[in-house]
């Protein structure tokens, strides 16, 4: 077992009190469409802000470094 797999198993043990509960959640995730959670009722501005926050920051461009762009 790889170190990453061992770490995942420890995380699962921390979240679920027993094997049955963890298995039920895993089984439900397999049958759910897509991955993750569905979130409703967010404004477009909130979605854009969260996307920017979750994105990988990029270094300043050459124009920004030289002060030509903001």
């Amino acid at each position: 077992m790889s170190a990453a797999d061992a770490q995942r198993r420890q995380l699962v043990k921390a979240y679920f009190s027993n094997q049955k509960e963890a298995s039920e959640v895993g089984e439900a995730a397999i049958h759910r469409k897509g991955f993750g959670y569905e979130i409703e009722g967010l404004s477009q501005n909130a979605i854009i802000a969260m996307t920017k926050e979750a994105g990988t920051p990029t270094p300043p461009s050459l124009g920004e470094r030289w002060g030509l762009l903001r």
Side-chain angles (χ1 to χ4, degrees):
M1 177 184 311
S2 72
D5 288 338
Q7 185 177 14
R8 281 189 210 98
R9 284 179 184 243
Q10 291 301 326
L11 288 172
V12 168
K13 288 178 186 177
Y15 284 111
F16 303 106
S17 58
N18 58 47
Q19 176 69 28
K20 182 177 181 248
E21 186 180 350
S23 295
E24 289 171 356
V25 170
E27 214 32 59
I30 290 170
H31 298 293
R32 186 174 54 223
K33 290 182 182 178
F35 299 101
Y37 298 93
E38 289 185 25
I39 300 174
E40 298 176 355
L42 291 176
S43 68
Q44 184 176 6
N45 290 338
I47 294 169
I48 291 169
M50 286 189 281
T51 303
K52 285 181 182 178
E53 187 176 322
T56 305
T58 56
S61 68
L62 187 59
E64 291 170 325
R65 285 183 277 166
W66 286 354
L68 302 173
L69 303 170
R70 290 184 185 201

